[in-house]
Amino acid sequence: MTNGGTLQLNLESTLDSVEAAELIVQQLAGRRGFSEQEVEKFMIAIRETMANAISHGNGYSREKSVYFGVVADSTQFKVTVRDQGLGFDPEEVPDPTAEDNLLRTSGRGLLLMRSFVDELAIRRRDPAGTEVVLIKYSPKSTSHKEEDVSLTTNIREVDGVSIVFLSGRITLGEGSGVLRETVRELLGKGQKKILLNLEGVSYIDSSGLGELVSSYTTAANQGAKVKLLNVQKKVNDLLQITKLYTVFDSFTDEAAAVTSFS
């Protein structure tokens, strides 16, 4: 970032660019005095914006790039993301909190973006592409620091229930893939009772939420059940915003959760 408080980058249409943009915002917003909670929310909004630009906008094309710009001053922290795709109308995006859409595995990104910034502007660019501007008003608090932890799993059996302890981040790419493979493997072995312990999950994005929904519906289609245990506040807030709390049985006590499968 220059002395004038600006940063401009052209990033490749890869998931590595999503991680890079997220890391940049984490570091710069923390230095600007945002609280840990506000930085985390801003990171989610940036991740969703970048993921949309790279996957839906540019279609992961190596021929297209994503513009990522930051302008920060004493009053606000503004991030601009531009892709080179066909553009879209945000008003045409289905409401993911509508009852008929709760079990869809995608479509929550725009909702999270709107929920976690102070201002959001989306416009089509001429001749092609979409520009998204996200603004957070400058805070008066202190900095933030968080390790970037990949998702790991540990499974144990209790009274016929597979308890999967998840630790790290459930995000687009590796994190959601680990969750998907773990649940599919258990179902493939004939397990009908799966309890996901989210106590160690520090971060989840819309793809992670989509993978939770996918695990739930895939299990249900095979006559199995997926339930949640020890959902931490960060994840619970997202379940509330997206109304997915109405889909999952969630527990804070392991013994009660195990008994509920009987």
Side-chain angles (χ1 to χ4, degrees):
M1 178 167 283
T2 67
N3 292 333
T6 64
L7 173 70
Q8 299 183 60
L9 298 172
N10 285 311
L11 302 174
E12 296 180 344
S13 296
T14 66
L15 293 183
D16 287 342
S17 294
V18 178
E19 302 292 343
E22 184 184 37
L23 181 60
I24 289 170
V25 168
Q26 177 185 351
Q27 295 177 341
L28 297 182
R31 294 172 187 169
R32 292 274 168 171
F34 285 88
S35 68
E36 178 178 349
Q37 183 179 22
E38 288 304 307
V39 170
E40 289 169 350
K41 290 179 179 179
F42 204 9
M43 287 166 62
I44 290 175
I46 297 303
R47 167 171 281 272
E48 298 302 330
T49 304
M50 286 293 298
N52 283 341
I54 287 168
S55 61
H56 300 302
N58 289 353
Y60 296 104
S61 172
R62 293 183 178 274
E63 306 301 319
K64 298 177 181 178
S65 63
V66 175
Y67 170 85
F68 179 76
V70 176
V71 178
D73 58 29
S74 61
T75 63
Q76 65 180 23
F77 193 106
K78 180 171 75 173
V79 174
T80 301
V81 176
R82 302 185 191 122
D83 64 50
Q84 297 177 322
L86 298 177
F88 77 103
D89 184 352
E91 298 303 321
E92 295 180 356
V93 177
D95 179 4
T97 65
E99 185 174 354
D100 291 344
N101 297 328
L102 286 178
L103 293 182
R104 294 183 59 173
T105 59
S106 61
R108 298 178 180 87
L110 187 57
L111 173 64
L112 298 182
M113 290 156 58
R114 284 173 170 156
S115 298
F116 292 146
V117 298
D118 296 314
E119 293 185 29
L120 176 69
I122 302 173
R123 71 178 184 89
R124 281 180 170 164
R125 302 182 65 231
D126 187 22
T130 299
E131 178 182 85
V132 180
V133 178
L134 310 98
I135 295 177
K136 288 288 290 182
Y137 300 137
S138 295
K140 299 179 180 179
S141 55
T142 57
S143 63
H144 164 82
K145 183 178 181 180
E146 177 181 320
E147 292 186 18
D148 183 10
V149 183
S150 299
L151 187 69
T152 60
T153 63
N154 182 45
I155 305 173
R156 60 190 179 90
E157 301 291 324
V158 177
D159 295 337
V161 178
S162 290
I163 302 177
V164 183
F165 184 85
L166 300 167
S167 179
R169 297 156 53 97
I170 309 177
T171 58
L172 178 66
E174 180 182 358
S176 58
V178 169
L179 173 59
R180 177 171 56 255
E181 292 170 5
T182 301
V183 172
R184 300 303 189 275
E185 183 176 350
L186 289 172
L187 293 173
K189 293 178 179 178
Q191 178 56 269
K192 301 296 184 182
K193 304 172 182 179
I194 301 174
L195 182 62
L196 301 179
N197 187 336
L198 303 184
E199 183 177 2
V201 174
S202 61
Y203 189 96
I204 189 168
D205 64 5
S206 66
S207 293
L209 292 174
E211 198 54 56
L212 284 179
V213 172
S214 178
S215 296
Y216 175 90
T217 55
T218 300
N221 290 336
Q222 298 184 32
K225 294 182 179 179
V226 171
K227 301 185 181 184
L228 307 181
L229 174 66
N230 294 331
V231 179
Q232 299 302 293
K233 185 179 184 305
K234 299 174 188 177
V235 178
N236 185 63
D237 287 346
L238 297 184
L239 295 179
Q240 294 289 328
I241 289 172
T242 58
K243 293 190 178 179
L244 288 179
Y245 71 92
T246 64
V247 172
F248 292 96
D249 289 336
S250 183
F251 300 83
T252 57
D253 179 76
E254 180 180 297
V258 170
T259 300
S260 73
F261 285 96
S262 302

